[in-house]
Amino acid sequence: EKVVPIAALQPKASQGWQRITGMIAAGIIAVVLVGAFYQYRNRAVINTAVVNLLRDPSTRDLPLYGAGANAASQGRFLWNDSGEGHIFVANLPSAPRGKTYAVWTIARNSAPRYVGALNTDANGQGGVHIKSTASAAPIETFAVTLENAGTTTAPAGPMVLVSKQS
């Protein structure tokens, strides 16, 4: 009487929801891992490019000084006349919505040339690697302005960082 026949046992209900939950969790983990790998790889490529700039004796290391309302901002601009450079900034607040920080190179008797957009984090730090064509005239001034997003033809907004003329 205490023995239960095998036929009397009921099979467990389908565990489909557990499989779906497991697949979703695995997908989330995969996305996080791929994102971390991409970020690591991108950082390694930029670090290598900056080291290569520093190894080149023709690379200039120029300080950037805050201008106007951003007098506390500062930065460094590594620049090679081949058209490659890297800009580092500190104490530069994030650009307001619809605005961006535009990076410009200015040669003597030439209009400013847009070479990239710069983003900063919550701590006011940021940087961008620049690869542009070499300028016919030597670059004398480097500037960062606050522009409407998408502005690449000429600076119209306030200057926030500028190098001293070399």
Side-chain angles (χ1 to χ4, degrees):
E1 291 181 21
K2 294 184 180 183
V3 177
V4 177
I6 294 178
L9 292 176
Q10 296 290 329
K12 290 189 175 181
S14 173
Q15 303 291 325
W17 66 271
Q18 289 177 338
R19 286 185 188 152
I20 291 172
T21 303
M23 289 171 43
I24 290 171
I28 291 170
I29 290 169
V31 167
V32 169
L33 289 175
V34 167
F37 173 75
Y38 174 77
Q39 206 171 30
Y40 169 77
R41 184 177 176 273
N42 190 34
R43 205 173 279 145
V45 167
I46 288 183
N47 288 345
T48 300
V50 170
V51 167
N52 288 339
L53 275 172
L54 290 170
R55 285 182 180 155
D56 187 339
S58 64
T59 297
R60 295 184 282 166
D61 180 6
L62 302 154
L64 295 173
Y65 302 95
N70 296 82
S73 300
Q74 56 189 345
R76 301 208 77 70
F77 204 133
L78 299 176
W79 181 255
N80 189 303
D81 286 331
S82 68
E84 185 174 5
H86 196 94
I87 184 172
F88 302 91
V89 300
N91 301 322
L92 187 62
S94 296
R97 185 185 256 313
K99 301 280 188 177
T100 188
Y101 289 115
V103 182
W104 307 90
T105 58
I106 307 166
R108 182 178 292 165
N109 300 325
S110 296
R113 187 169 64 140
Y114 174 82
V115 292
L118 173 70
N119 294 315
T120 57
D121 63 16
N123 297 324
Q125 295 182 341
V128 65
H129 195 76
I130 296 166
K131 279 193 157 256
S132 67
T133 57
S135 175
I139 305 297
E140 295 182 339
T141 306
F142 301 88
V144 177
T145 60
L146 182 62
E147 303 291 341
N148 291 325
T151 300
T152 61
T153 54
M159 191 174 300
V160 295
L161 289 166
V162 64
S163 68
K164 290 188 176 179
Q165 289 190 347
S166 36

